Amino acid sequence: MNIIFNIFNDILRYLFDLTGDWGMAIVLLTVIVKLILMPFSLKQKSSLKKQQELSLKVEELKKTFKNNKKKLEMELQKHYDSNKKHMFGCMITFIQLPIIMTLYNVVLKLPIEASTSIIPWVTSLKLADNYHIIPLVYSSLMCMPNLISYLKVIKNSTIQPISKSNVIVTIVISILFTIKTPIAIGIYLITSAAFAVIENIIYSIFFKENLA
C-alpha cells in the first residue's frame, strides 16, 4: 500500500508542477486512475448485466418447471455453470478499493496552504465549502448514472429508471457525506462521479454487447 501511496503522491506533485494548481492536479490524477481502472469497471458492468439476466431467467424456469423439481434443478445448474465466469466481474470492486483509498489519503495529505482556481472562494483545499456548492454538485452527479436511461440515445440501456424516493435518498446521503468534507476530497469525489457518468454512457452506447 505504501508503494501505491508514494507513486500517487509523486504523480500528484508532478501534475502540480505541470499545472501550477492543486485542484487541477487532483482532477488529472483522478482521471488517470479512473482510466486505468476503466477496463475492469466496464467488465464489472457486463458481469452485473449478466447477473440481472440470470435472475430473470431463473424466475422464468421456476414458473416453467414448477411441477417438475428435478428438471428445474437441472436447468438451474446449467445456467449457473454457464454464468460462473461472469460472477468474477463483481469482485473487481474489491480490486479498486485499495487504489481508491490510497488516492483518497494522498489528497488528504496536501499542504495546508494548497488552493485552486477551480474553486476560488476558498483559501485552502483543506477547508470545507461553506457555500455548500461542492455537496450540491456531487449529489447531482451521483443521481445521474441512474437517470441517463431516460436519454433517447441510450434507450437500450440496462439501467433501471430510478424512483423518486431513491433520488431523495441519494441526494441526502451525498450532501451529508460531503458537507464537511475538505475541498480537496470534494474535487476528487466530483471528478470520480463525473467520470462514472461518462463511463455509464460509453458502456450503454458502445460496449454493452461487446463485453457481454
Side-chain angles (χ1 to χ4, degrees):
M1 190 69 74
N2 287 334
I3 295 175
I4 300 175
F5 176 87
N6 291 334
I7 291 173
F8 284 174
N9 189 56
D10 290 343
I11 294 174
L12 182 63
R13 293 185 180 278
Y14 170 78
L15 293 172
F16 171 71
D17 292 338
L18 193 66
T19 62
D21 188 292
W22 283 110
M24 284 300 302
I26 294 170
V27 170
L28 292 174
L29 178 59
T30 307
V31 170
I32 289 171
V33 173
K34 289 296 183 178
L35 285 172
I36 293 172
L37 295 176
M38 190 174 183
F40 302 102
S41 181
L42 292 175
K43 187 63 179 177
Q44 182 183 33
K45 293 180 192 303
S46 178
S47 298
L48 291 173
K49 174 175 174 285
K50 285 293 182 181
Q51 292 305 304
Q52 291 173 357
E53 292 174 352
L54 176 60
S55 297
L56 293 174
K57 188 63 179 178
V58 166
E59 292 302 316
E60 291 178 6
L61 289 173
K62 286 181 178 179
K63 292 178 181 178
T64 303
F65 300 105
K66 61 181 179 180
N67 296 322
N68 191 336
K69 187 176 181 181
K70 186 175 181 180
K71 180 66 175 177
L72 174 61
E73 291 177 354
M74 290 174 60
E75 291 297 323
L76 288 176
Q77 190 60 47
K78 287 180 184 178
H79 283 83
Y80 287 138
D81 290 341
S82 64
N83 282 275
K84 278 181 180 179
K85 63 178 182 179
H86 300 290
M87 294 180 182
F88 177 73
C90 298
M91 300 295 293
I92 294 171
T93 299
F94 298 102
I95 298 175
Q96 297 184 53
L97 283 177
I99 297 175
I100 294 172
M101 290 304 299
T102 303
L103 179 58
Y104 185 92
N105 289 328
V106 167
V107 170
L108 280 178
K109 294 184 181 298
L110 284 173
I112 189 65
E113 70 276 7
S115 60
T116 177
S117 58
I118 298 176
I119 307 173
W121 59 87
V122 294
T123 57
S124 173
L125 293 179
K126 292 285 189 177
L127 301 175
D129 181 8
N130 291 330
Y131 293 97
H132 307 313
I133 296 174
I134 294 291
L136 291 174
V137 172
Y138 177 62
S139 61
S140 299
L141 287 169
M142 286 299 292
C143 290
M144 285 187 68
N146 293 291
L147 298 175
I148 60 174
S149 58
Y150 290 102
L151 297 176
K152 292 181 180 179
V153 72
I154 312 177
K155 59 184 177 181
N156 293 323
S157 174
T158 57
I159 301 174
Q160 297 298 317
I162 190 170
S163 66
K164 290 182 180 179
S165 59
N166 285 337
V167 170
I168 294 172
V169 170
T170 300
I171 291 174
V172 170
I173 292 176
S174 299
I175 290 175
L176 290 176
F177 182 68
T178 55
I179 197 165
K180 294 297 183 181
T181 298
I183 294 293
I185 302 303
I187 294 174
Y188 157 68
L189 292 172
I190 286 175
T191 306
S192 297
F195 192 95
V197 172
I198 296 171
E199 187 179 79
N200 271 286
I201 293 173
I202 291 173
Y203 172 77
S204 298
I205 297 175
F206 298 109
F207 290 94
K208 184 170 61 177
E209 299 301 328
N210 293 334
L211 290 174

